C-alpha cells in the first residue's frame, strides 16, 4: 500500500539495474495522464456520432458515459486490491493492456454495426483506465513531499488536459467529418482511429514493462484506525469526486449537441468539435496555472473560488443565447481545471497506509460520470438541453461546501 507521506526507495529489490530518478519517473508517468485524458474525451465525439448512427435520444446516447464511467464503480476497488498485490508498475502495465483490448474491440463493434458491442468496448476500455488511475494518482503524489502533492498532481493532470484538448480535434477530423449517408461508412469511421489507439497503448505498456521505476515504500505508521470508509474527509471527498466528474462529463458530453441543433444552432458537428477542444484546452491551461498558484495559495481556497466561478458561468450560459452562451460554457473548462486533482489530494491527505484503499474509493466515486449525465439527459429530453445544466450547478454547489468545510479532518 502507498501513503501520500511515503518515501520512494531508489532500490528495486525485484530487478537489477538502477531505477530512474524522480523527475524522469514523473515525466514518464505524464504519458499515462495524456492517454487516459485523450481516450476519455473521445467519448464526447463518439456520443453525437453514435446518436446519429443509431438514431438515439439524448438519454440513450448518454449510455456511452453510463457504461464508461460505470466501470469505475465496478472496477475501482478490485483494481486497488490487484495493485496491492502486483505493485504499481505492473498495475500500470496491466491497465494499459486492458485498455488496448477495449480500443481494439471498436473494430468489430463497427463491423457488426452493434450499439451494444460499442458499449461493451467502452466498458473494457474504461476498466483499463480505472486500473491506470488507481495506480498512477497516488504514485505521482508520493514522488516528492506531501506539501507539494496537490501541485504535482495538478501538473501531471495538465498533460491529462492536453490529451482532452487534442482528442476533439483528432476525433472531429477523423470521425465527425465523415458526411457519408451510408451507415456502414459512418460506422467504419471509428475503426482506424481506435485500432491506432490500441497499438499505441500496447507499445506504452511494453515501455513500462521494461523500465525501472522508483519503488514506493511506506515509512509512516497508520494514521487512521480501522477502515478508510470511516474517515470523514475522505468520504466527503469521494462525494466531491462524484459530483465533479458527473458535472464535467455532463457538460463535455453535451457541448457538440448544445452548439448544434439541440441548443444554440450555431455549428455543424465537425465545427462544434473545435470548441470542445477549446473547452478542454482551458482545463489544460488552468491546471498549469493552478499548479503554480497552489504553491502560494491553499488548495482549498483555490477550489472554492473556482467552484463559484463555474456556477456563475453556467447560469450566464443558461440565461443567454448565441456566442455569449457559447463562450460562457466554454470558459467553464478553465475553472474546472484544478478540481479533480485538488479534491483528490485533499481527500487522501493524512491517510497513511489507508491511501491505497482511499485511492480506490475515490476512483469508485468517478461513477458520477455515469449517473449525472443520465440524469441530465433525461431532463434535456424533457425540458431542453440548456435547462438541464441546472444539475451541474447543484454539483458545483457541493464542491464549494467541500472546499470550505468538508475537507477538514476530524
Amino acid at each position: 500500500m502507498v501513503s501520500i507521506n511515503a518515501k520512494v526507495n531508489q532500490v528495486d529489490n525485484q530487478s537489477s539495474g538502477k531505477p530512474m530518478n524522480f523527475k524522469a519517473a514523473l515525466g514518464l508517468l505524464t504519458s499515462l495522464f495524456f492517454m487516459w485524458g485523450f481516450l476519455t474525451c473521445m467519448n464526447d465525439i463518439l456520443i453525437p456520432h453514435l446518436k446519429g448512427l443509431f438514431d438515439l435520444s439524448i438519454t440513450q446516447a448518454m449510455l456511452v458515459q453510463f457504461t464508461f464511467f460505470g466501470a469505475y464503480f465496478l472496477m475501482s476497488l478490485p483494481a486497488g486490491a490487484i495493485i496491492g498485490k502486483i505493485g504499481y508498475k505492473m498495475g500500470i502495465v496491466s491497465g494499459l493492456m486492458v485498455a488496448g483490448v477495449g480500443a481494439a474491440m471498436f473494430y468489430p463493434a463497427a463491423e457488426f454495426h452493434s450499439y451494444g458491442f460499442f458499449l461493451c468496448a467502452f466498458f473494457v476500455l474504461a476498466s483499463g483506465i480505472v486500473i491506470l488511475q488507481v495506480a498512477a494518482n497516488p504514485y505521482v503524489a508520493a514522488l516528492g513531499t506531501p506539501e507539494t502533492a496537490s501541485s504535482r498532481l495538478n501538473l501531471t493532470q495538465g498533460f491529462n488536459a492536453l490529451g482532452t484538448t487534442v482528442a476533439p480535434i483528432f476525433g472531429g477530423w477523423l470521425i465527425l467529418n465523415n458526411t457519408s449517408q451510408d451507415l456502414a461508412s459512418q460506422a467504419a469511421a471509428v475503426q482506424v482511429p481506435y485500432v491506432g489507439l490500441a497499438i499505441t497503448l500496447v507499445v506504452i505498456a511494453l515501455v513500462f514493462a521494461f523500465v525501472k521505476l522508483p519503488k514506493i515504500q511506506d515509512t509512516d505508521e497508520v494514521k487512521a484506525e480501522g477502515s478508510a470508509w470511516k474517515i470523514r474527509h475522505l468520504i466527503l471527498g469521494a462525494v466531491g469526486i462524484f459530483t465533479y466528474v458527473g458535472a464535467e462529463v455532463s457538460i463535455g458530453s453535451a457541448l457538440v449537441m448544445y452548439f448544434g441543433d439541440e441548443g444554440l444552432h450555431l455549428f455543424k458537428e465537425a465545427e462544434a468539435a473545435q470548441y470542445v477542444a477549446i473547452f478542454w484546452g482551458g482545463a489544460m491551461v488552468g491546471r498549469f496555472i493552478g499548479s503554480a498558484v497552489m504553491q502560494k495559495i491553499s488548495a482549498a481556497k483555490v477550489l472554492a473560488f473556482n467552484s463559484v466561478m463555474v456556477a456563475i458561468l453556467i447560469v450566464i450560459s443558461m440565461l443567454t443565447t448565441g456566442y455569449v452562451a457559447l463562450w460562457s460554457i466554454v470558459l467553464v473548462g478553465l475553472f474546472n481545471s484544478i478540481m479533480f486533482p485538488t479534491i483528490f489530494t485533499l481527500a487522501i491527505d493524512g491517510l497513511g497506509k489507508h491511501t491505497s484503499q482511499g485511492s480506490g474509493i475515490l476512483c469508485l466515486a468517478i461513477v458520477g460520470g455515469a449517473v449525472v449525465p443520465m440524469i441530465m439527459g433525461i431532463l434535456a429530453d424533457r425540458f431542453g438541453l440548456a435547462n438541464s445544466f441546472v444539475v451541474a450547478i447543484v454539483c458545483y454547489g457541493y464542491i464549494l461546501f467541500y472546499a470550505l468545510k468538508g475537507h477538514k479532518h476530524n
Side-chain angles (χ1 to χ4, degrees):
M1 313 235 337
V2 59
S3 165
I4 196 167
N5 301 309
K7 291 184 178 179
V8 182
N9 192 350
Q10 291 285 41
V11 178
D12 188 338
N13 296 322
Q14 297 178 343
S15 60
S16 59
K18 184 179 180 182
M20 61 177 62
N21 60 36
F22 290 2
K23 290 183 179 179
L26 192 61
L28 184 59
L29 286 164
T30 57
S31 67
L32 302 179
F33 286 76
F34 175 88
M35 282 306 301
W36 83 58
F38 186 98
L39 291 164
T40 302
C41 197
M42 282 293 288
N43 294 359
D44 296 344
I45 300 303
L46 284 179
I47 285 172
H49 182 72
L50 296 176
K51 180 178 182 292
L53 182 62
F54 293 100
D55 193 23
L56 307 172
S57 68
I58 294 177
T59 304
Q60 290 170 327
M62 288 298 186
L63 281 172
V64 168
Q65 302 293 34
F66 183 82
T67 302
F68 188 91
F69 288 95
Y72 284 85
F73 181 77
L74 296 174
M75 297 301 298
S76 289
L77 295 182
I82 291 169
I83 290 166
K85 292 182 178 180
I86 68 175
Y88 285 85
K89 175 181 170 178
M90 290 311 298
I92 289 169
V93 173
S94 299
L96 287 165
M97 294 299 292
V98 172
V101 171
M105 288 174 64
F106 280 77
Y107 191 95
E111 194 71 20
F112 294 128
H113 192 69
S114 169
Y115 188 48
F117 206 145
F118 271 111
L119 294 179
C120 289
F122 278 114
F123 182 84
V124 175
L125 176 64
S127 297
I129 295 174
V130 170
I131 298 171
L132 287 179
Q133 291 220 32
V134 174
N137 279 314
Y139 196 101
V140 168
L143 285 174
T145 63
E147 292 76 19
T148 58
S150 185
S151 173
R152 193 163 50 254
L153 201 52
N154 266 289
L155 179 63
T156 52
Q157 286 283 350
F159 287 91
N160 175 272
L162 176 61
T164 63
T165 303
V166 174
I169 300 173
F170 177 86
W173 176 51
L174 289 178
I175 298 173
L176 295 183
N177 262 333
N178 187 326
T179 58
S180 171
Q181 298 301 311
D182 179 58
L183 294 180
S185 175
Q186 291 183 34
V190 177
Q191 291 177 318
V192 173
Y194 275 86
V195 168
L197 289 170
I199 294 170
T200 302
L201 288 165
V202 171
V203 170
I204 297 174
L206 292 174
V207 171
F208 272 91
F210 289 101
V211 299
K212 303 188 189 310
L213 294 172
K215 184 180 178 182
I216 294 176
Q217 275 192 336
D218 288 312
T219 57
D220 291 346
E221 297 297 324
V222 176
K223 293 187 175 181
E225 297 297 329
S227 170
W229 286 97
K230 298 179 181 179
I231 303 173
R232 178 179 177 274
H233 75 277
L234 169 65
I235 301 307
L236 292 179
V239 178
I241 293 291
F242 180 96
T243 55
Y244 166 70
V245 175
E248 180 188 55
V249 170
S250 297
I251 294 171
S253 301
L255 288 181
V256 171
M257 295 180 285
Y258 183 52
F259 297 154
D261 293 338
E262 301 288 342
L264 302 177
H265 303 281
L266 293 173
F267 308 107
K268 295 181 179 179
E269 288 182 348
E271 295 173 282
Q274 308 307 309
Y275 288 88
V276 178
I278 297 172
F279 172 84
W280 292 110
M284 176 182 66
V285 172
R287 279 173 181 159
F288 288 121
I289 294 172
S291 179
V293 169
M294 282 189 282
Q295 298 279 353
K296 304 292 183 181
I297 302 174
S298 75
K301 290 181 180 178
V302 177
L303 181 63
F305 174 80
N306 281 26
S307 61
V308 171
M309 290 302 300
V310 167
I312 291 172
L313 287 168
I314 295 173
V315 170
I316 291 173
S317 187
M318 291 174 64
L319 297 178
T320 58
T321 59
Y323 283 91
V324 174
L326 180 148
W327 283 109
S328 56
I329 203 71
V330 165
L331 282 173
V332 166
L334 177 66
F335 294 97
N336 264 343
S337 56
I338 56 88
M339 290 190 182
F340 181 91
T342 302
I343 296 170
F344 192 97
T345 50
L346 288 173
I348 64 173
D349 181 50
L351 296 191
K353 290 185 177 180
H354 286 315
T355 304
S356 182
Q357 185 187 12
S359 177
I361 292 171
L362 293 173
C363 286
L364 181 73
I366 293 175
V367 73
V371 177
V372 179
M374 288 297 294
I375 296 171
M376 182 171 163
I378 293 169
L379 292 177
D381 283 331
R382 180 168 295 185
F383 302 108
L385 198 51
N387 291 329
S388 70
F389 287 148
V390 69
V391 175
I393 294 175
V394 173
C395 291
Y396 290 113
Y398 177 85
I399 294 169
L400 176 61
F401 157 76
Y402 187 72
L404 296 177
K405 292 189 66 176
H407 73 282
K408 296 178 180 178
H409 297 199
N410 288 349

